Amino acid sequence: MPEEERSGAADSVGVAEDLSTKLEKTFAPAQFEERWYRTWEAEGRFQPVGPPGSPRFVMVIPPPNVTGRLHIGHAFGRTLEDVLARWKRMRGHRVLWVPGTDHAGIATQMVIERQLAKEGINKRDLGREKFVERVWLWKREAKDNIQSQIRRLGCSLDWTRERFTLDPDLSQAVRHAFVRLYEDGLIYRGRYVVNWCPRCGTAVSDLEVVHKDVDGSLYRIRYDVPGVASGAVVATTRPETMLGDTALAIHPDDPRTAKFRGKTAVLPIVGRELPVIEDAILVDREFGTGIVKVTPAHDANDFAVGERHGLPQVVVIGPEGKMTAEAGEYAGLDRLEAREKIVGRLRSENRLAGIDPHRHSLGHCQRCDTVIEPYLSTQWFVKVKPLAEPAIRAVESDEIRFVPEMWTKTYFEWMRNIHDWCISRQLWWGHRIPAFTCANGHLTVSEKDPSTCPKCGSSEMAQDPDVLDTWFSSQLWPFSVFGWPKETDDYREFYPTDVLVTGYDILFFWVARMIMAGIHFTGSVPFSTVHLHGLVRLAGAKMSKTRGNVIDPLVAIEEFGADALRFAYASSATAGTTVTLDSERLSGSRNFATKIWNAARFTLSQIQGKPRAETFEGRALTLPDRWILSRLSRTAADANRSLADFRFDEAAAMLYGFLWHEFCDGYLEMVKPLLSSRDGDETAAETARGVLYRCLSDSLALLHPFMPFLTEEVWEKLTRRPGTLIVSPYPMRDAALEDPRAEAAVERLRALVTRVRNFRGERKVSPTEPVSLWIDADEGADDADGLRELAPLLRHLGRLSALTFGPPPTGAQRDVVSGVPIGLALPAGAAHADRARIEKTLAQLDRELEELSGKLRNPAFLDKAPPDVVAKTRRRQAELEERRAALGSAAFE
RNA sequence: AGGCUCGUAGCUCAGGGGGAGAGCACUACCUUGACACGGUAGGGGUCAGCGGUUCAAAUCCGCUCGAGCCUACCA
């Protein structure tokens, strides 16, 4: 951003005099947050406008599920996105951030089912149509809640473009995508063993199965094998599935089991004859007895074996987890009850060779935690390999970049071992599968509902009752929101998007699938950068004990303000995998907001009604002026760099440090004497007021992406341009302001002041006790180190009773601070030094000096270390020696 | 079974081959004309352990221990 744009069209000296520029004494964010949000929205700030030719910056929101309200995890991601959006907007980009929500098939259906259950209503009695109506009612409420939460957070989303995954045009996109994949041969229907949740009554994908280690049992069961006296002992963790066994399998090369080759076993209880088959893929020669029971209808591996060997499939567990008629006397029992009974029967028949404790991994339903059953059923699948290959290449070639980079590896791992995706769900809420079967059994897949069968002309067409996996529509989100497959203006202008921000937990569910779908359907990657942030963990005990459980971001906003919540998020957003949010960080951020508020109040009170410099050209700037402006430029540079690297924590820390410790603790204290003296240097005061204005206004701009409300509020009072900070230029490095000598001089001043105060501490005297300071240098010498110019400030800040240039008298405590030899003294008779404390410092110095001289005595170091490192070490040694000598000389007078 | 990440101050976490950092908490003092949601000063760490590479390791490599996460069709 050019410098001219920042200073704006202003006179050389401006005056702020309007009384309305005063800030309220107490900082109460609730008073202005909603007002500013309304203003921005009404003025179209959230819409993509910008100077012609300006670059665009596009994001789509990861659409929250309409299952309820947002929790702190959502608010975290949205905050990061808004920081990016506001930053880019201020950097002159045409920013578009698209809002929306996800219908979240299985999750939302469960919410409604639970509600109905409470009312004593059975979903089936209600019927599909009524049920879906009810979900729509709920959806409206949930969406409104979510939207208002996001608004309260301050997110600058373009609400005129809000989308929902079940909107008519997005539903059309889903049908289009389905048909296209079908026609491309990438969607197929078939009867396979899938992950089945008996409670939800639907198939789920591999990703929706949560594996947990559980302590179970391994049951060893003896099957009779005519011709082999000992019979065959097989092991299983699920004895009830034996009723569906249709074979036993051995490894073709295992001598232990060779005797079973070609034999036929008899299934206990049922009496069915089971061929002994040989299968090198299924059977692990090393494991157990080397004989495996084969249950093609209830195990994915066994299913594959069954296909290879043409085995019958006997379904003994039904869709609700109850034993089927095939289970004979056990029919109707829950699978776990059946297990008990079957084990009892086997025991009584003396067929139980043993039960061993067995810890193994067991799949659970992601939604309801029910144990997943492998279940044979007809489902729709996406053939993923052909889609995955280009998606892998897109990341290999850096067309898409993951931040942090470590996720790239995880992405590759999964993508290279990807399995076909079961996309049909036996649910009511979602996109109906666009497949139709006529009375004669002909299947038609079509974007528009067909009225007659294209094959036989039958007009009795029934649509597949199943719906699609929610993620099938989510994967289209970055382009379906823009009207795809129609070539709309928005699609042309805003797709592909730039950055996607989301939690790493949905890397496979969503991100990977968007990449695959984006490339397949639109020919381009859907975004160029993926920022995967950590997942928010509440520092539970602390927060819940003192505040009640702060789960809803609104609760945190009420208590601390939206800006504080946002700042707490940003400063917690480290590159790791968990983000810990605790009430300490929230109150710390609230304190920071208050600090800014008070600094602004002070600044305004100083500027008000008085002339101030608008530009600094041709003006004599004091060292403190030059120091703080230099630091301002570096801070702006750092903030921009950190944001470009998605290091929100770094940027937040930089701004915090600059504003609090340099601007407030440093500069404000330095200019107070100048500004408050009646007969002071009016030109210097005018300059200082200009510097104050510049630092504060730039700080507000730098902080605006993090704390939009507070900064906009103060900006209005400061600049009297209400509501414009959001579109003001983001401060950048301004090399002309950088002044290393001024920085060094003021750092030296601050170190000296600290030493004086610390000297009082050493002697245990009050901060008001008069102290004399000698600076062992010639007063008349040139002021290269700035000490002479800064002497009055040093006297003031150090509360010195005397400041003398020249050698300190005997009896004064000597020291060296930032290379400056000094002497310090209290009035005669004042307290004595804290011996222990000084001795400790001396011991520390000795230790460090020992280390340094050790290094410098080492020829290898002198020979091999870079010259600048050696020089630096020498310099440091000299400094420390000087300090050691000074401190030691008169330490205990 | 594989893979990834992480063990740094009491807590939460930055840093990352050449002088151990921040915020909070803690101690002492300060009702100083913006701010006690504040100021000033201070205490506190063989950077998990062991070995290696290097002139130099908290930082790179290997192993061990500990924590977390992810993937997976071991009966």
Side-chain angles (χ1 to χ4, degrees), chain A residues 103-130:
Chain A
H103 69 281
I106 190 168
T108 310
Q109 176 154 340
M110 269 185 68
V111 170
I112 306 304
E113 281 173 9
R114 244 181 268 129
Q115 287 177 2
L116 290 176
K118 264 190 207 154
E119 297 164 28
I121 302 172
N122 185 300
K123 160 181 93 166
R124 262 181 285 271
D125 298 339
L126 197 64
R128 182 165 188 158
E129 211 170 304
K130 283 256 159 37

Side-chain angles (χ1 to χ4, degrees), chain A residues 365-420:
Chain A
C365 176
Q366 184 198 30
R367 293 293 160 192
C368 70
D369 209 39
T370 303
V371 172
I372 291 292
E373 286 293 328
Y375 178 63
L376 184 66
S377 56
T378 300
Q379 305 287 348
W380 292 88
F381 298 86
V382 175
K383 202 184 206 175
V384 194
K385 281 263 184 230
L387 296 168
E389 282 158 17
I392 291 169
R393 282 198 297 275
V395 175
E396 281 171 342
S397 67
D398 264 356
E399 220 186 325
I400 296 178
R401 188 171 65 103
F402 286 101
V403 180
E405 210 194 335
M406 62 169 169
W407 295 111
T408 311
K409 214 169 179 175
T410 311
Y411 172 81
F412 286 144
E413 281 283 313
W414 190 70
M415 290 293 273
R416 287 175 180 146
N417 299 298
I418 200 163
H419 299 299
D420 283 2

Side-chain angles (χ1 to χ4, degrees), chain A residues 15 25 131 136 169 188 212 220 226 229 247 253 269 384 490 546 579 581 663 717 737 755 770 845 858 863 879:
Chain A
V15 176
K25 173 118 194 212
F131 180 86
W136 274 105
D169 44 344
Y188 61 93
K212 294 182 195 172
R220 283 180 286 120
D253 305 325
I269 302 176
V384 194
D490 272 10
T546 56
V579 173
L581 187 70
F663 183 64
K717 312 297 183 199
L737 293 181
R755 183 61 185 97
L845 281 172
N858 181 359
D863 189 41
E879 260 179 52

Side-chain angles (χ1 to χ4, degrees), chain A residues 49 91 271 456 544 591 595:
Chain A
V49 290
R91 289 286 299 267
C456 66
S544 54
N591 295 353
K595 188 75 182 177

Side-chain angles (χ1 to χ4, degrees), chain A residues 3 6 629-630 633-634 636-637 694 732-738:
Chain A
E3 175 63 16
R6 183 173 329 121
L629 290 170
S630 185
S633 168
R634 291 190 200 279
R694 170 68 183 272
M732 306 283 284
R733 177 177 184 212
D734 184 349
L737 293 181
E738 287 177 20

